[in-house]
Amino acid sequence: MYELITANRNYSSWSLRPWILMKALGIAFRDRIEPFTKPANYDDFRSFSPTGQVPALLHEGRTIYDSLGITLYLADRHEGVWPRDPDARAWAQCATTEMHSGFAALRNDCTMNVGVRVTPKPMSTALRSNVARIGELFEEGLAKFGGPWLAGSEFTAVDAFFAPVAFRIRTYGLDVGAGQAWVDHILSHPAMLEWERQALAESWREVGHEEELAAAGVITADYRTG
């Protein structure tokens, strides 16, 4: 049995990626949450991950860390992580790695918080560029491979890697053009609804993440009940 270690549902975008991938593909795992409880969790998280970060996957005595590392590990063991079609597979792998290594302005200026809605502050040039590129990717994937997922008819790793972006788009009201069709589709996925339900119910509030949220714009609604 796999054991997947993740953090707060409201905040942890990196955790969401392997969690929703495994849920969507029906890969069974033990779900272990290690919440962010303070601005620096490195020393505490080093007890289960060499990077001091989440997510981490424990399996057969191995610790597999980083959301991309976990995805590659699962792809060696399970069908469906990547599309079967060679063109869709190549596109999905490129888009996944682009998400993994890029979009710094989006990460910094639009911190993930599932349970709130925000009127964002005026966007920087870098953030506008990030949002435009995301919209372009979504439209390209849907047009090339027919949807409703980014690389075709089945949920794959590329959808998992952009799943946190879907929450950000909703939280901040970002315009991704025709790519909104994918956003609406993934937000209705049962696993995303379950993640959201847990996010709204959790009681953890970490000061650093809440300060980042306050700096991102004006909070217009807060649906968290925990």
Side-chain angles (χ1 to χ4, degrees), residues 91 95 98 103 128-144 150 162 175-180:
W91 183 88
E98 182 179 357
F103 301 104
R128 284 198 299 273
S129 177
N130 278 188
V131 173
R133 176 58 182 154
I134 287 166
E136 182 179 65
L137 276 169
F138 289 178
E139 291 184 25
E140 180 183 12
L142 293 172
K144 275 189 173 182
L150 290 176
F162 281 95
D175 182 4
V176 291
Q180 186 65 40

mmCIF file with all atom_site columns, all heavy atoms in Angstrom, residues 91 95 98 103 128-144 150 162 175-180:
data_model
loop_
_atom_site.group_PDB
_atom_site.id
_atom_site.type_symbol
_atom_site.label_atom_id
_atom_site.label_alt_id
_atom_site.label_comp_id
_atom_site.label_asym_id
_atom_site.label_entity_id
_atom_site.label_seq_id
_atom_site.pdbx_PDB_ins_code
_atom_site.Cartn_x
_atom_site.Cartn_y
_atom_site.Cartn_z
_atom_site.occupancy
_atom_site.B_iso_or_equiv
_atom_site.pdbx_formal_charge
_atom_site.auth_seq_id
_atom_site.auth_comp_id
_atom_site.auth_asym_id
_atom_site.auth_atom_id
_atom_site.pdbx_PDB_model_num
ATOM 1   N N   . TRP A 1 91  ? 2.781   16.082 -25.697 1.00 0.00 ? 91  TRP A N   1
ATOM 2   C CA  . TRP A 1 91  ? 2.275   17.396 -25.295 1.00 0.00 ? 91  TRP A CA  1
ATOM 3   C C   . TRP A 1 91  ? 2.048   17.446 -23.783 1.00 0.00 ? 91  TRP A C   1
ATOM 4   O O   . TRP A 1 91  ? 2.414   18.426 -23.116 1.00 0.00 ? 91  TRP A O   1
ATOM 5   C CB  . TRP A 1 91  ? 0.976   17.701 -26.027 1.00 0.00 ? 91  TRP A CB  1
ATOM 6   C CG  . TRP A 1 91  ? 0.439   19.064 -25.718 1.00 0.00 ? 91  TRP A CG  1
ATOM 7   C CD1 . TRP A 1 91  ? 0.735   20.232 -26.363 1.00 0.00 ? 91  TRP A CD1 1
ATOM 8   C CD2 . TRP A 1 91  ? -0.474  19.412 -24.662 1.00 0.00 ? 91  TRP A CD2 1
ATOM 9   N NE1 . TRP A 1 91  ? 0.068   21.285 -25.775 1.00 0.00 ? 91  TRP A NE1 1
ATOM 10  C CE2 . TRP A 1 91  ? -0.683  20.801 -24.733 1.00 0.00 ? 91  TRP A CE2 1
ATOM 11  C CE3 . TRP A 1 91  ? -1.132  18.677 -23.679 1.00 0.00 ? 91  TRP A CE3 1
ATOM 12  C CZ2 . TRP A 1 91  ? -1.520  21.484 -23.856 1.00 0.00 ? 91  TRP A CZ2 1
ATOM 13  C CZ3 . TRP A 1 91  ? -1.970  19.347 -22.787 1.00 0.00 ? 91  TRP A CZ3 1
ATOM 14  C CH2 . TRP A 1 91  ? -2.173  20.730 -22.884 1.00 0.00 ? 91  TRP A CH2 1
ATOM 15  N N   . ALA A 1 95  ? 3.760   20.046 -21.151 1.00 0.00 ? 95  ALA A N   1
ATOM 16  C CA  . ALA A 1 95  ? 2.949   20.972 -20.362 1.00 0.00 ? 95  ALA A CA  1
ATOM 17  C C   . ALA A 1 95  ? 3.108   20.720 -18.861 1.00 0.00 ? 95  ALA A C   1
ATOM 18  O O   . ALA A 1 95  ? 3.139   21.663 -18.060 1.00 0.00 ? 95  ALA A O   1
ATOM 19  C CB  . ALA A 1 95  ? 1.483   20.851 -20.769 1.00 0.00 ? 95  ALA A CB  1
ATOM 20  N N   . GLU A 1 98  ? 6.446   22.094 -17.828 1.00 0.00 ? 98  GLU A N   1
ATOM 21  C CA  . GLU A 1 98  ? 6.378   23.559 -17.849 1.00 0.00 ? 98  GLU A CA  1
ATOM 22  C C   . GLU A 1 98  ? 5.699   24.074 -16.582 1.00 0.00 ? 98  GLU A C   1
ATOM 23  O O   . GLU A 1 98  ? 6.149   25.050 -15.968 1.00 0.00 ? 98  GLU A O   1
ATOM 24  C CB  . GLU A 1 98  ? 5.625   24.037 -19.087 1.00 0.00 ? 98  GLU A CB  1
ATOM 25  C CG  . GLU A 1 98  ? 5.556   25.551 -19.200 1.00 0.00 ? 98  GLU A CG  1
ATOM 26  C CD  . GLU A 1 98  ? 4.833   26.043 -20.442 1.00 0.00 ? 98  GLU A CD  1
ATOM 27  O OE1 . GLU A 1 98  ? 4.415   25.218 -21.274 1.00 0.00 ? 98  GLU A OE1 1
ATOM 28  O OE2 . GLU A 1 98  ? 4.687   27.281 -20.575 1.00 0.00 ? 98  GLU A OE2 1
ATOM 29  N N   . PHE A 1 103 ? 5.878   29.492 -14.127 1.00 0.00 ? 103 PHE A N   1
ATOM 30  C CA  . PHE A 1 103 ? 4.741   30.231 -13.590 1.00 0.00 ? 103 PHE A CA  1
ATOM 31  C C   . PHE A 1 103 ? 5.002   30.775 -12.176 1.00 0.00 ? 103 PHE A C   1
ATOM 32  O O   . PHE A 1 103 ? 4.134   30.719 -11.297 1.00 0.00 ? 103 PHE A O   1
ATOM 33  C CB  . PHE A 1 103 ? 3.472   29.372 -13.630 1.00 0.00 ? 103 PHE A CB  1
ATOM 34  C CG  . PHE A 1 103 ? 3.115   28.913 -15.014 1.00 0.00 ? 103 PHE A CG  1
ATOM 35  C CD1 . PHE A 1 103 ? 3.362   27.606 -15.423 1.00 0.00 ? 103 PHE A CD1 1
ATOM 36  C CD2 . PHE A 1 103 ? 2.568   29.804 -15.926 1.00 0.00 ? 103 PHE A CD2 1
ATOM 37  C CE1 . PHE A 1 103 ? 3.055   27.188 -16.713 1.00 0.00 ? 103 PHE A CE1 1
ATOM 38  C CE2 . PHE A 1 103 ? 2.250   29.389 -17.228 1.00 0.00 ? 103 PHE A CE2 1
ATOM 39  C CZ  . PHE A 1 103 ? 2.497   28.081 -17.611 1.00 0.00 ? 103 PHE A CZ  1
ATOM 40  N N   . ARG A 1 128 ? 0.414   38.726 -15.732 1.00 0.00 ? 128 ARG A N   1
ATOM 41  C CA  . ARG A 1 128 ? -0.408  38.751 -16.947 1.00 0.00 ? 128 ARG A CA  1
ATOM 42  C C   . ARG A 1 128 ? 0.134   37.764 -17.981 1.00 0.00 ? 128 ARG A C   1
ATOM 43  O O   . ARG A 1 128 ? -0.637  37.062 -18.654 1.00 0.00 ? 128 ARG A O   1
ATOM 44  C CB  . ARG A 1 128 ? -0.468  40.162 -17.523 1.00 0.00 ? 128 ARG A CB  1
ATOM 45  C CG  . ARG A 1 128 ? -1.387  41.112 -16.773 1.00 0.00 ? 128 ARG A CG  1
ATOM 46  C CD  . ARG A 1 128 ? -1.725  42.325 -17.625 1.00 0.00 ? 128 ARG A CD  1
ATOM 47  N NE  . ARG A 1 128 ? -0.544  43.091 -17.983 1.00 0.00 ? 128 ARG A NE  1
ATOM 48  C CZ  . ARG A 1 128 ? -0.017  44.061 -17.243 1.00 0.00 ? 128 ARG A CZ  1
ATOM 49  N NH1 . ARG A 1 128 ? -0.586  44.397 -16.088 1.00 0.00 ? 128 ARG A NH1 1
ATOM 50  N NH2 . ARG A 1 128 ? 1.050   44.713 -17.651 1.00 0.00 ? 128 ARG A NH2 1
ATOM 51  N N   . SER A 1 129 ? 1.458   37.707 -18.095 1.00 0.00 ? 129 SER A N   1
ATOM 52  C CA  . SER A 1 129 ? 2.079   36.787 -19.034 1.00 0.00 ? 129 SER A CA  1
ATOM 53  C C   . SER A 1 129 ? 1.807   35.338 -18.638 1.00 0.00 ? 129 SER A C   1
ATOM 54  O O   . SER A 1 129 ? 1.504   34.487 -19.493 1.00 0.00 ? 129 SER A O   1
ATOM 55  C CB  . SER A 1 129 ? 3.590   37.042 -19.092 1.00 0.00 ? 129 SER A CB  1
ATOM 56  O OG  . SER A 1 129 ? 4.237   36.121 -19.939 1.00 0.00 ? 129 SER A OG  1
ATOM 57  N N   . ASN A 1 130 ? 1.902   35.042 -17.341 1.00 0.00 ? 130 ASN A N   1
ATOM 58  C CA  . ASN A 1 130 ? 1.622   33.688 -16.849 1.00 0.00 ? 130 ASN A CA  1
ATOM 59  C C   . ASN A 1 130 ? 0.185   33.280 -17.147 1.00 0.00 ? 130 ASN A C   1
ATOM 60  O O   . ASN A 1 130 ? -0.077  32.173 -17.635 1.00 0.00 ? 130 ASN A O   1
ATOM 61  C CB  . ASN A 1 130 ? 1.865   33.601 -15.347 1.00 0.00 ? 130 ASN A CB  1
ATOM 62  C CG  . ASN A 1 130 ? 3.293   33.409 -14.940 1.00 0.00 ? 130 ASN A CG  1
ATOM 63  O OD1 . ASN A 1 130 ? 3.583   33.184 -13.759 1.00 0.00 ? 130 ASN A OD1 1
ATOM 64  N ND2 . ASN A 1 130 ? 4.223   33.523 -15.868 1.00 0.00 ? 130 ASN A ND2 1
ATOM 65  N N   . VAL A 1 131 ? -0.756  34.163 -16.864 1.00 0.00 ? 131 VAL A N   1
ATOM 66  C CA  . VAL A 1 131 ? -2.171  33.842 -17.069 1.00 0.00 ? 131 VAL A CA  1
ATOM 67  C C   . VAL A 1 131 ? -2.461  33.646 -18.554 1.00 0.00 ? 131 VAL A C   1
ATOM 68  O O   . VAL A 1 131 ? -3.192  32.726 -18.948 1.00 0.00 ? 131 VAL A O   1
ATOM 69  C CB  . VAL A 1 131 ? -3.074  34.931 -16.460 1.00 0.00 ? 131 VAL A CB  1
ATOM 70  C CG1 . VAL A 1 131 ? -4.535  34.686 -16.822 1.00 0.00 ? 131 VAL A CG1 1
ATOM 71  C CG2 . VAL A 1 131 ? -2.904  34.973 -14.938 1.00 0.00 ? 131 VAL A CG2 1
ATOM 72  N N   . ALA A 1 132 ? -1.869  34.489 -19.389 1.00 0.00 ? 132 ALA A N   1
ATOM 73  C CA  . ALA A 1 132 ? -2.066  34.346 -20.834 1.00 0.00 ? 132 ALA A CA  1
ATOM 74  C C   . ALA A 1 132 ? -1.516  33.010 -21.327 1.00 0.00 ? 132 ALA A C   1
ATOM 75  O O   . ALA A 1 132 ? -2.145  32.332 -22.161 1.00 0.00 ? 132 ALA A O   1
ATOM 76  C CB  . ALA A 1 132 ? -1.403  35.494 -21.573 1.00 0.00 ? 132 ALA A CB  1
ATOM 77  N N   . ARG A 1 133 ? -0.362  32.627 -20.830 1.00 0.00 ? 133 ARG A N   1
ATOM 78  C CA  . ARG A 1 133 ? 0.239   31.349 -21.256 1.00 0.00 ? 133 ARG A CA  1
ATOM 79  C C   . ARG A 1 133 ? -0.602  30.166 -20.783 1.00 0.00 ? 133 ARG A C   1
ATOM 80  O O   . ARG A 1 133 ? -0.772  29.185 -21.522 1.00 0.00 ? 133 ARG A O   1
ATOM 81  C CB  . ARG A 1 133 ? 1.660   31.237 -20.713 1.00 0.00 ? 133 ARG A CB  1
ATOM 82  C CG  . ARG A 1 133 ? 2.346   29.905 -21.004 1.00 0.00 ? 133 ARG A CG  1
ATOM 83  C CD  . ARG A 1 133 ? 2.417   29.599 -22.482 1.00 0.00 ? 133 ARG A CD  1
ATOM 84  N NE  . ARG A 1 133 ? 3.045   28.302 -22.741 1.00 0.00 ? 133 ARG A NE  1
ATOM 85  C CZ  . ARG A 1 133 ? 2.821   27.570 -23.805 1.00 0.00 ? 133 ARG A CZ  1
ATOM 86  N NH1 . ARG A 1 133 ? 1.986   27.985 -24.745 1.00 0.00 ? 133 ARG A NH1 1
ATOM 87  N NH2 . ARG A 1 133 ? 3.433   26.396 -23.968 1.00 0.00 ? 133 ARG A NH2 1
ATOM 88  N N   . ILE A 1 134 ? -1.146  30.246 -19.590 1.00 0.00 ? 134 ILE A N   1
ATOM 89  C CA  . ILE A 1 134 ? -2.009  29.172 -19.093 1.00 0.00 ? 134 ILE A CA  1
ATOM 90  C C   . ILE A 1 134 ? -3.248  29.040 -19.972 1.00 0.00 ? 134 ILE A C   1
ATOM 91  O O   . ILE A 1 134 ? -3.634  27.936 -20.366 1.00 0.00 ? 134 ILE A O   1
ATOM 92  C CB  . ILE A 1 134 ? -2.383  29.427 -17.625 1.00 0.00 ? 134 ILE A CB  1
ATOM 93  C CG1 . ILE A 1 134 ? -1.169  29.152 -16.730 1.00 0.00 ? 134 ILE A CG1 1
ATOM 94  C CG2 . ILE A 1 134 ? -3.560  28.552 -17.188 1.00 0.00 ? 134 ILE A CG2 1
ATOM 95  C CD1 . ILE A 1 134 ? -1.312  29.673 -15.324 1.00 0.00 ? 134 ILE A CD1 1
ATOM 96  N N   . GLY A 1 135 ? -3.869  30.159 -20.290 1.00 0.00 ? 135 GLY A N   1
ATOM 97  C CA  . GLY A 1 135 ? -5.021  30.113 -21.183 1.00 0.00 ? 135 GLY A CA  1
ATOM 98  C C   . GLY A 1 135 ? -4.668  29.511 -22.529 1.00 0.00 ? 135 GLY A C   1
ATOM 99  O O   . GLY A 1 135 ? -5.441  28.729 -23.099 1.00 0.00 ? 135 GLY A O   1
ATOM 100 N N   . GLU A 1 136 ? -3.499  29.867 -23.039 1.00 0.00 ? 136 GLU A N   1
ATOM 101 C CA  . GLU A 1 136 ? -3.038  29.330 -24.314 1.00 0.00 ? 136 GLU A CA  1
ATOM 102 C C   . GLU A 1 136 ? -2.858  27.816 -24.249 1.00 0.00 ? 136 GLU A C   1
ATOM 103 O O   . GLU A 1 136 ? -3.280  27.079 -25.152 1.00 0.00 ? 136 GLU A O   1
ATOM 104 C CB  . GLU A 1 136 ? -1.711  30.003 -24.677 1.00 0.00 ? 136 GLU A CB  1
ATOM 105 C CG  . GLU A 1 136 ? -1.117  29.599 -26.007 1.00 0.00 ? 136 GLU A CG  1
ATOM 106 C CD  . GLU A 1 136 ? 0.181   30.335 -26.280 1.00 0.00 ? 136 GLU A CD  1
ATOM 107 O OE1 . GLU A 1 136 ? 1.164   30.116 -25.523 1.00 0.00 ? 136 GLU A OE1 1
ATOM 108 O OE2 . GLU A 1 136 ? 0.222   31.135 -27.231 1.00 0.00 ? 136 GLU A OE2 1
ATOM 109 N N   . LEU A 1 137 ? -2.254  27.330 -23.171 1.00 0.00 ? 137 LEU A N   1
ATOM 110 C CA  . LEU A 1 137 ? -2.057  25.892 -22.997 1.00 0.00 ? 137 LEU A CA  1
ATOM 111 C C   . LEU A 1 137 ? -3.393  25.152 -22.926 1.00 0.00 ? 137 LEU A C   1
ATOM 112 O O   . LEU A 1 137 ? -3.580  24.112 -23.570 1.00 0.00 ? 137 LEU A O   1
ATOM 113 C CB  . LEU A 1 137 ? -1.254  25.616 -21.730 1.00 0.00 ? 137 LEU A CB  1
ATOM 114 C CG  . LEU A 1 137 ? 0.262   25.705 -21.815 1.00 0.00 ? 137 LEU A CG  1
ATOM 115 C CD1 . LEU A 1 137 ? 0.870   25.674 -20.418 1.00 0.00 ? 137 LEU A CD1 1
ATOM 116 C CD2 . LEU A 1 137 ? 0.821   24.546 -22.648 1.00 0.00 ? 137 LEU A CD2 1
ATOM 117 N N   . PHE A 1 138 ? -4.305  25.682 -22.133 1.00 0.00 ? 138 PHE A N   1
ATOM 118 C CA  . PHE A 1 138 ? -5.601  25.030 -21.987 1.00 0.00 ? 138 PHE A CA  1
ATOM 119 C C   . PHE A 1 138 ? -6.323  24.951 -23.342 1.00 0.00 ? 138 PHE A C   1
ATOM 120 O O   . PHE A 1 138 ? -6.847  23.898 -23.715 1.00 0.00 ? 138 PHE A O   1
ATOM 121 C CB  . PHE A 1 138 ? -6.478  25.789 -20.990 1.00 0.00 ? 138 PHE A CB  1
ATOM 122 C CG  . PHE A 1 138 ? -6.036  25.689 -19.548 1.00 0.00 ? 138 PHE A CG  1
ATOM 123 C CD1 . PHE A 1 138 ? -6.736  26.364 -18.553 1.00 0.00 ? 138 PHE A CD1 1
ATOM 124 C CD2 . PHE A 1 138 ? -4.925  24.946 -19.187 1.00 0.00 ? 138 PHE A CD2 1
ATOM 125 C CE1 . PHE A 1 138 ? -6.346  26.274 -17.229 1.00 0.00 ? 138 PHE A CE1 1
ATOM 126 C CE2 . PHE A 1 138 ? -4.525  24.865 -17.858 1.00 0.00 ? 138 PHE A CE2 1
ATOM 127 C CZ  . PHE A 1 138 ? -5.246  25.540 -16.878 1.00 0.00 ? 138 PHE A CZ  1
ATOM 128 N N   . GLU A 1 139 ? -6.341  26.065 -24.054 1.00 0.00 ? 139 GLU A N   1
ATOM 129 C CA  . GLU A 1 139 ? -7.025  26.089 -25.344 1.00 0.00 ? 139 GLU A CA  1
ATOM 130 C C   . GLU A 1 139 ? -6.352  25.141 -26.342 1.00 0.00 ? 139 GLU A C   1
ATOM 131 O O   . GLU A 1 139 ? -7.029  24.441 -27.112 1.00 0.00 ? 139 GLU A O   1
ATOM 132 C CB  . GLU A 1 139 ? -7.054  27.516 -25.892 1.00 0.00 ? 139 GLU A CB  1
ATOM 133 C CG  . GLU A 1 139 ? -7.953  28.454 -25.084 1.00 0.00 ? 139 GLU A CG  1
ATOM 134 C CD  . GLU A 1 139 ? -8.038  29.842 -25.693 1.00 0.00 ? 139 GLU A CD  1
ATOM 135 O OE1 . GLU A 1 139 ? -7.834  29.960 -26.918 1.00 0.00 ? 139 GLU A OE1 1
ATOM 136 O OE2 . GLU A 1 139 ? -8.307  30.804 -24.939 1.00 0.00 ? 139 GLU A OE2 1
ATOM 137 N N   . GLU A 1 140 ? -5.039  25.107 -26.311 1.00 0.00 ? 140 GLU A N   1
ATOM 138 C CA  . GLU A 1 140 ? -4.296  24.236 -27.222 1.00 0.00 ? 140 GLU A CA  1
ATOM 139 C C   . GLU A 1 140 ? -4.611  22.770 -26.954 1.00 0.00 ? 140 GLU A C   1
ATOM 140 O O   . GLU A 1 140 ? -4.902  21.997 -27.881 1.00 0.00 ? 140 GLU A O   1
ATOM 141 C CB  . GLU A 1 140 ? -2.793  24.481 -27.077 1.00 0.00 ? 140 GLU A CB  1
ATOM 142 C CG  . GLU A 1 140 ? -1.943  23.617 -28.000 1.00 0.00 ? 140 GLU A CG  1
ATOM 143 C CD  . GLU A 1 140 ? -0.453  23.816 -27.783 1.00 0.00 ? 140 GLU A CD  1
ATOM 144 O OE1 . GLU A 1 140 ? -0.066  24.440 -26.771 1.00 0.00 ? 140 GLU A OE1 1
ATOM 145 O OE2 . GLU A 1 140 ? 0.318   23.328 -28.618 1.00 0.00 ? 140 GLU A OE2 1
ATOM 146 N N   . GLY A 1 141 ? -4.551  22.372 -25.689 1.00 0.00 ? 141 GLY A N   1
ATOM 147 C CA  . GLY A 1 141 ? -4.826  20.983 -25.357 1.00 0.00 ? 141 GLY A CA  1
ATOM 148 C C   . GLY A 1 141 ? -6.236  20.567 -25.734 1.00 0.00 ? 141 GLY A C   1
ATOM 149 O O   . GLY A 1 141 ? -6.446  19.499 -26.339 1.00 0.00 ? 141 GLY A O   1
ATOM 150 N N   . LEU A 1 142 ? -7.200  21.405 -25.404 1.00 0.00 ? 142 LEU A N   1
ATOM 151 C CA  . LEU A 1 142 ? -8.590  21.076 -25.717 1.00 0.00 ? 142 LEU A CA  1
ATOM 152 C C   . LEU A 1 142 ? -8.820  20.991 -27.223 1.00 0.00 ? 142 LEU A C   1
ATOM 153 O O   . LEU A 1 142 ? -9.527  20.099 -27.706 1.00 0.00 ? 142 LEU A O   1
ATOM 154 C CB  . LEU A 1 142 ? -9.516  22.115 -25.092 1.00 0.00 ? 142 LEU A CB  1
ATOM 155 C CG  . LEU A 1 142 ? -9.576  22.135 -23.561 1.00 0.00 ? 142 LEU A CG  1
ATOM 156 C CD1 . LEU A 1 142 ? -10.382 23.339 -23.077 1.00 0.00 ? 142 LEU A CD1 1
ATOM 157 C CD2 . LEU A 1 142 ? -10.160 20.848 -22.999 1.00 0.00 ? 142 LEU A CD2 1
ATOM 158 N N   . ALA A 1 143 ? -8.221  21.916 -27.970 1.00 0.00 ? 143 ALA A N   1
ATOM 159 C CA  . ALA A 1 143 ? -8.420  21.938 -29.419 1.00 0.00 ? 143 ALA A CA  1
ATOM 160 C C   . ALA A 1 143 ? -7.721  20.764 -30.106 1.00 0.00 ? 143 ALA A C   1
ATOM 161 O O   . ALA A 1 143 ? -8.269  20.150 -31.033 1.00 0.00 ? 143 ALA A O   1
ATOM 162 C CB  . ALA A 1 143 ? -7.908  23.256 -29.992 1.00 0.00 ? 143 ALA A CB  1
ATOM 163 N N   . LYS A 1 144 ? -6.521  20.433 -29.657 1.00 0.00 ? 144 LYS A N   1
ATOM 164 C CA  . LYS A 1 144 ? -5.751  19.371 -30.313 1.00 0.00 ? 144 LYS A CA  1
ATOM 165 C C   . LYS A 1 144 ? -6.300  17.983 -30.040 1.00 0.00 ? 144 LYS A C   1
ATOM 166 O O   . LYS A 1 144 ? -6.312  17.118 -30.915 1.00 0.00 ? 144 LYS A O   1
ATOM 167 C CB  . LYS A 1 144 ? -4.290  19.419 -29.836 1.00 0.00 ? 144 LYS A CB  1
ATOM 168 C CG  . LYS A 1 144 ? -3.400  20.386 -30.572 1.00 0.00 ? 144 LYS A CG  1
ATOM 169 C CD  . LYS A 1 144 ? -1.955  20.181 -30.152 1.00 0.00 ? 144 LYS A CD  1
ATOM 170 C CE  . LYS A 1 144 ? -1.015  21.014 -31.004 1.00 0.00 ? 144 LYS A CE  1
ATOM 171 N NZ  . LYS A 1 144 ? 0.405   20.777 -30.634 1.00 0.00 ? 144 LYS A NZ  1
ATOM 172 N N   . LEU A 1 150 ? -7.273  17.884 -20.628 1.00 0.00 ? 150 LEU A N   1
ATOM 173 C CA  . LEU A 1 150 ? -6.308  18.673 -21.385 1.00 0.00 ? 150 LEU A CA  1
ATOM 174 C C   . LEU A 1 150 ? -5.631  17.879 -22.490 1.00 0.00 ? 150 LEU A C   1
ATOM 175 O O   . LEU A 1 150 ? -5.230  18.451 -23.510 1.00 0.00 ? 150 LEU A O   1
ATOM 176 C CB  . LEU A 1 150 ? -5.253  19.265 -20.446 1.00 0.00 ? 150 LEU A CB  1
ATOM 177 C CG  . LEU A 1 150 ? -5.745  20.375 -19.508 1.00 0.00 ? 150 LEU A CG  1
ATOM 178 C CD1 . LEU A 1 150 ? -4.631  20.820 -18.567 1.00 0.00 ? 150 LEU A CD1 1
ATOM 179 C CD2 . LEU A 1 150 ? -6.278  21.573 -20.308 1.00 0.00 ? 150 LEU A CD2 1
ATOM 180 N N   . PHE A 1 162 ? -2.184  20.827 -13.292 1.00 0.00 ? 162 PHE A N   1
ATOM 181 C CA  . PHE A 1 162 ? -2.854  22.114 -13.390 1.00 0.00 ? 162 PHE A CA  1
ATOM 182 C C   . PHE A 1 162 ? -4.062  22.221 -12.471 1.00 0.00 ? 162 PHE A C   1
ATOM 183 O O   . PHE A 1 162 ? -4.695  23.285 -12.418 1.00 0.00 ? 162 PHE A O   1
ATOM 184 C CB  . PHE A 1 162 ? -3.253  22.398 -14.840 1.00 0.00 ? 162 PHE A CB  1
ATOM 185 C CG  . PHE A 1 162 ? -2.108  22.876 -15.692 1.00 0.00 ? 162 PHE A CG  1
ATOM 186 C CD1 . PHE A 1 162 ? -1.376  21.974 -16.460 1.00 0.00 ? 162 PHE A CD1 1
ATOM 187 C CD2 . PHE A 1 162 ? -1.737  24.209 -15.710 1.00 0.00 ? 162 PHE A CD2 1
ATOM 188 C CE1 . PHE A 1 162 ? -0.304  22.396 -17.233 1.00 0.00 ? 162 PHE A CE1 1
ATOM 189 C CE2 . PHE A 1 162 ? -0.669  24.648 -16.471 1.00 0.00 ? 162 PHE A CE2 1
ATOM 190 C CZ  . PHE A 1 162 ? 0.052   23.745 -17.238 1.00 0.00 ? 162 PHE A CZ  1
ATOM 191 N N   . ASP A 1 175 ? -8.905  35.253 -15.977 1.00 0.00 ? 175 ASP A N   1
ATOM 192 C CA  . ASP A 1 175 ? -9.510  35.015 -17.284 1.00 0.00 ? 175 ASP A CA  1
ATOM 193 C C   . ASP A 1 175 ? -8.597  34.136 -18.127 1.00 0.00 ? 175 ASP A C   1
ATOM 194 O O   . ASP A 1 175 ? -7.511  34.560 -18.521 1.00 0.00 ? 175 ASP A O   1
ATOM 195 C CB  . ASP A 1 175 ? -9.756  36.347 -17.984 1.00 0.00 ? 175 ASP A CB  1
ATOM 196 C CG  . ASP A 1 175 ? -10.438 36.193 -19.337 1.00 0.00 ? 175 ASP A CG  1
ATOM 197 O OD1 . ASP A 1 175 ? -10.785 35.045 -19.705 1.00 0.00 ? 175 ASP A OD1 1
ATOM 198 O OD2 . ASP A 1 175 ? -10.621 37.218 -20.026 1.00 0.00 ? 175 ASP A OD2 1
ATOM 199 N N   . VAL A 1 176 ? -9.038  32.904 -18.411 1.00 0.00 ? 176 VAL A N   1
ATOM 200 C CA  . VAL A 1 176 ? -8.254  32.006 -19.258 1.00 0.00 ? 176 VAL A CA  1
ATOM 201 C C   . VAL A 1 176 ? -9.001  31.676 -20.544 1.00 0.00 ? 176 VAL A C   1
ATOM 202 O O   . VAL A 1 176 ? -8.740  30.667 -21.193 1.00 0.00 ? 176 VAL A O   1
ATOM 203 C CB  . VAL A 1 176 ? -7.876  30.715 -18.501 1.00 0.00 ? 176 VAL A CB  1
ATOM 204 C CG1 . VAL A 1 176 ? -6.872  31.019 -17.404 1.00 0.00 ? 176 VAL A CG1 1
ATOM 205 C CG2 . VAL A 1 176 ? -9.111  30.008 -17.937 1.00 0.00 ? 176 VAL A CG2 1
ATOM 206 N N   . GLY A 1 177 ? -9.927  32.535 -20.930 1.00 0.00 ? 177 GLY A N   1
ATOM 207 C CA  . GLY A 1 177 ? -10.609 32.387 -22.204 1.00 0.00 ? 177 GLY A CA  1
ATOM 208 C C   . GLY A 1 177 ? -11.356 31.075 -22.320 1.00 0.00 ? 177 GLY A C   1
ATOM 209 O O   . GLY A 1 177 ? -12.030 30.627 -21.389 1.00 0.00 ? 177 GLY A O   1
ATOM 210 N N   . ALA A 1 178 ? -11.213 30.437 -23.485 1.00 0.00 ? 178 ALA A N   1
ATOM 211 C CA  . ALA A 1 178 ? -11.911 29.178 -23.732 1.00 0.00 ? 178 ALA A CA  1
ATOM 212 C C   . ALA A 1 178 ? -11.429 28.062 -22.814 1.00 0.00 ? 178 ALA A C   1
ATOM 213 O O   . ALA A 1 178 ? -12.116 27.048 -22.661 1.00 0.00 ? 178 ALA A O   1
ATOM 214 C CB  . ALA A 1 178 ? -11.739 28.768 -25.193 1.00 0.00 ? 178 ALA A CB  1
ATOM 215 N N   . GLY A 1 179 ? -10.273 28.267 -22.192 1.00 0.00 ? 179 GLY A N   1
ATOM 216 C CA  . GLY A 1 179 ? -9.766  27.281 -21.238 1.00 0.00 ? 179 GLY A CA  1
ATOM 217 C C   . GLY A 1 179 ? -10.625 27.151 -19.993 1.00 0.00 ? 179 GLY A C   1
ATOM 218 O O   . GLY A 1 179 ? -10.465 26.198 -19.222 1.00 0.00 ? 179 GLY A O   1
ATOM 219 N N   . GLN A 1 180 ? -11.566 28.083 -19.801 1.00 0.00 ? 180 GLN A N   1
ATOM 220 C CA  . GLN A 1 180 ? -12.463 28.000 -18.653 1.00 0.00 ? 180 GLN A CA  1
ATOM 221 C C   . GLN A 1 180 ? -13.295 26.716 -18.703 1.00 0.00 ? 180 GLN A C   1
ATOM 222 O O   . GLN A 1 180 ? -13.721 26.213 -17.650 1.00 0.00 ? 180 GLN A O   1
ATOM 223 C CB  . GLN A 1 180 ? -13.380 29.221 -18.617 1.00 0.00 ? 180 GLN A CB  1
ATOM 224 C CG  . GLN A 1 180 ? -14.269 29.309 -17.389 1.00 0.00 ? 180 GLN A CG  1
ATOM 225 C CD  . GLN A 1 180 ? -13.482 29.508 -16.106 1.00 0.00 ? 180 GLN A CD  1
ATOM 226 O OE1 . GLN A 1 180 ? -12.502 30.255 -16.053 1.00 0.00 ? 180 GLN A OE1 1
ATOM 227 N NE2 . GLN A 1 180 ? -13.917 28.823 -15.037 1.00 0.00 ? 180 GLN A NE2 1
#
